[in-house]
Amino acid sequence: MTPPEGTPDEAAAATPREVFARLSAGISAGRWDELAALYAEDAVVLQPFSLPPAPPRVDGRAALDRHFRAAARGPLELRARDVVVHETADPEVIVAEFDYDGRVATTGRTFRAANIQVLRVRDGLIVETRDYHDHPAFARALASEGDAADTRDAG
C-alpha cells in the first residue's frame, strides 16, 4: 500500500476510488499500522451498527491509528472480495460494497461478512466514512470454540 504521504500534489491527486483501494488492500494484507495515514487529521468514522466494545464513532487520525493498531493485535485476517464501487453525484463521495472472507487465526474458523462503506475523500485523504459492517458475523466468528462450527455462510 502506498499511503498518500509524498508531495501534497500526490496525495491530492488520489481519487476516492484509489484511496478506497489502498484502504482495502491494506486491510486485506494486514498492514494495519499504515492505514491511519489514509485519513485526514480530523477524520470521522461512523459505525452505526457496531457492537460493544467497538465504538460507534472514531474521531481523528490519532484515534484511528489506535483503533487499527488494536485490530492488528487481534486474531482476524480479512480479505476483501466482490468489491463494487459506486460513484456518486458528489465527486468526493463513493459507496463501496464488498464482502470480507475472514479467518480467526487462533481457531482457524472462517466466515464471511457483508460490508458497505460510504467514503468522503478530500485532497486524497479520507475525511469521513460511514461503515456498515456485518458486526454479528464478526462476533459469531470470534465466539468461543464450543459455540459453533464454521460460520462460512454468515453475513
Side-chain angles (χ1 to χ4, degrees), residues 61-122:
R61 183 185 293 157
L64 284 161
D65 186 51
R66 289 189 298 275
H67 176 78
F68 289 132
R69 288 178 187 276
R73 293 188 299 274
L76 292 180
E77 298 169 352
L78 303 171
R79 299 286 180 266
R81 60 171 293 189
D82 301 329
V83 177
V84 178
V85 176
H86 303 277
E87 306 286 336
T88 70
D90 183 336
E92 292 185 340
V93 177
I94 61 168
V95 177
E97 297 178 82
F98 57 99
D99 291 327
Y100 278 132
D101 276 342
R103 181 177 173 276
V104 181
T106 54
T107 65
R109 180 179 277 175
T110 60
F111 65 99
R112 183 166 296 145
N115 306 273
I116 294 176
Q117 284 186 292
V118 181
L119 290 89
R120 178 174 298 278
V121 176
R122 186 174 299 133

Side-chain angles (χ1 to χ4, degrees), residues 16-28 32 35 38-39 43-49 56 58 64 67-68 78-88 92-100 113-121 126-135 138:
R17 183 183 290 267
E18 291 166 339
V19 174
F20 171 75
R22 291 175 184 155
L23 177 65
S24 181
I27 291 169
S28 292
W32 300 100
L35 299 178
L38 298 172
Y39 291 80
V44 174
V45 173
L46 303 172
Q47 302 179 101
F49 299 144
V58 182
L64 284 161
H67 176 78
F68 289 132
L78 303 171
R79 299 286 180 266
R81 60 171 293 189
D82 301 329
V83 177
V84 178
V85 176
H86 303 277
E87 306 286 336
T88 70
E92 292 185 340
V93 177
I94 61 168
V95 177
E97 297 178 82
F98 57 99
D99 291 327
Y100 278 132
N115 306 273
I116 294 176
Q117 284 186 292
V118 181
L119 290 89
R120 178 174 298 278
V121 176
I126 301 167
V127 296
E128 180 182 47
T129 70
R130 281 175 282 139
D131 300 352
Y132 301 97
H133 303 299
D134 183 356
H135 289 277
F138 290 108

